[in-house]
Amino acid sequence: WTYHIFFFFLPVTISSTAEKVIYLVIFHLSFAMFVWSYWKTIFTSPASPSHEFCLSKADKEQYEKEERPESQQEILRRAAKDLPIYTTTASGAIRYCDRCQLIKPDRCHHCSSCDICVLKMDHHCPWVNNCVGFSNYKFFLLFLMHSLLCCLFVAATVLQYFIKFWTIELRDAHAKFHVLFLFFVAAMFFISILSLFSYHCWLVGKNRSTIETFRAPTFRNGPDKNGFSLGCSKNLREVFGDEKKYWLLPIFTSLGDGCNFPTRLVIMDPEQLTVSSQNEPAKSPGANQSFPTRPLSESQNRLLANDSQWVESGPEEENVKTGAKKNIIVSLES
């Protein structure tokens, strides 16, 4: 609707050829980026856990035969020994999806609409008829940003003619209707999208998903909504990547594999502390850092490089020093 009305309205109101050319170039650029981002958000399949998180055929059959939860959990624990990372509930039970028949990795949730487990699931968006998660979260943010800019441009260019309408300087009867309709609709969409875009910008700065905002992930030391936050700059890089030249393009550049995420709150188990104190001489804080059983990807190591502590901005939060290993994450069942 914006595209057709804008070009019907353009020749009636704008007399300068140079002004028309400028309007057309800017509008087409913003419109093209909006369509590209929208397309990528819709047609990018939600990322699901790899086959290594699925139970073997023998384990599946044995799991289905067992009726006691304790026996089922024992089967899951045996299957999870070879996994690089997995999550448990607050009671210590391994998070398992009966529909997909797999052990859930970090921040993974089952979408009832798509009927699949989605890595770092944020929400299921009816606007794009797709799940927003690890594979397309950057595209979703760009879709919101470019649609916001497109609506802002249309509302700003129509504003002067909207003012002329009320001062009876706009004489063309056909243009009057289009001026009113175009301005009000563009302004309405701008306000609604601005609130949604601002909310997701806040989520990126805190390194949270929408699900984690309403239900905080639980670590071994208790629930913490900021457990994945590494600071605003690193949180931004985790979504948009290291190369800033690709940040505004709907090209996948997010860091990590969607299964394993560095955390801010890192506390060693008592037995880990005992082993490390026996095997290693005393070192300065931050010097004896190690990471999960499966090494973090190169991109994640860059996020953690040269940091003796991670600080989350905000008056209510404390500076937390990194420990020696990442906790196995304990989150509630999706």
Side-chain angles (χ1 to χ4, degrees), residues 1 48 53 92 117 168 203 222 242 259 298 303 316 327 329:
W1 57 266
S48 298
F53 290 93
C117 283
I168 320 179
L203 288 180
D242 290 324
C259 296
E298 181 184 352
L303 286 174
E316 77 281 4
N327 275 327
I329 299 170

Side-chain angles (χ1 to χ4, degrees), residues 85-246:
I85 191 72
Y86 61 90
T87 60
T88 62
T89 64
S91 62
I94 295 177
R95 295 174 64 235
Y96 177 74
C97 180
D98 292 312
R99 294 283 296 176
C100 300
Q101 296 183 323
L102 55 81
I103 296 172
K104 296 180 180 180
D106 295 356
R107 311 176 85 175
C108 177
H109 298 275
H110 184 86
C111 176
S112 57
S113 299
C114 297
D115 197 26
I116 57 172
C117 283
V118 180
L119 295 179
K120 195 186 175 184
M121 180 179 173
D122 188 87
H123 68 288
H124 184 88
C125 181
W127 285 25
V128 299
N129 192 30
N130 196 8
C131 261
V132 177
F134 176 74
S135 61
N136 62 350
Y137 188 59
K138 176 189 174 183
F139 306 149
F140 178 74
L141 290 174
L142 293 179
F143 155 63
L144 293 179
M145 186 189 73
H146 290 302
S147 58
L148 187 70
L149 293 177
C150 195
C151 289
L152 177 63
F153 173 74
V154 172
T157 52
V158 174
L159 179 61
Q160 57 177 316
Y161 305 104
F162 179 77
I163 296 174
K164 289 181 180 180
F165 170 80
W166 294 106
T167 57
I168 320 179
E169 294 182 27
L170 193 63
R171 299 179 180 180
D172 191 285
H174 296 289
K176 288 182 179 180
F177 170 76
H178 290 91
V179 166
L180 286 175
F181 181 81
L182 195 58
F183 180 79
F184 278 119
V185 173
M188 178 185 66
F189 271 93
F190 173 78
I191 294 172
S192 61
I193 295 173
L194 178 62
S195 60
L196 182 60
F197 180 66
S198 301
Y199 173 68
H200 278 280
C201 287
W202 178 79
L203 288 180
V204 171
K206 296 290 185 179
N207 201 345
R208 298 180 198 168
S209 65
T210 302
I211 294 177
E212 291 165 353
T213 301
F214 292 99
R215 187 172 62 217
T218 305
F219 300 81
R220 285 186 176 180
N221 58 314
D224 183 16
K225 290 184 177 181
N226 298 309
F228 291 108
S229 181
L230 309 178
C232 187
S233 175
K234 292 178 182 177
N235 295 340
L236 193 67
R237 286 165 53 196
E238 191 170 305
V239 175
F240 289 93
D242 290 324
E243 300 189 52
K244 295 183 179 180
K245 61 182 178 181
Y246 297 124

Side-chain angles (χ1 to χ4, degrees), residues 17-41:
T17 303
E19 192 174 359
K20 289 180 183 178
V21 172
I22 294 173
Y23 278 24
L24 288 171
V25 171
I26 296 176
F27 179 79
H28 275 93
L29 286 175
S30 61
F31 186 74
M33 293 301 297
F34 160 74
V35 172
W36 188 8
S37 303
Y38 188 48
W39 178 276
K40 292 285 287 185
T41 306

Side-chain angles (χ1 to χ4, degrees), residues 259-278:
C259 296
N260 193 5
F261 298 90
T263 59
R264 179 175 70 96
L265 300 177
V266 186
I267 299 178
M268 282 189 81
D269 296 332
E271 56 264 25
Q272 289 277 343
L273 286 170
T274 304
V275 172
S276 62
S277 61
Q278 291 176 352

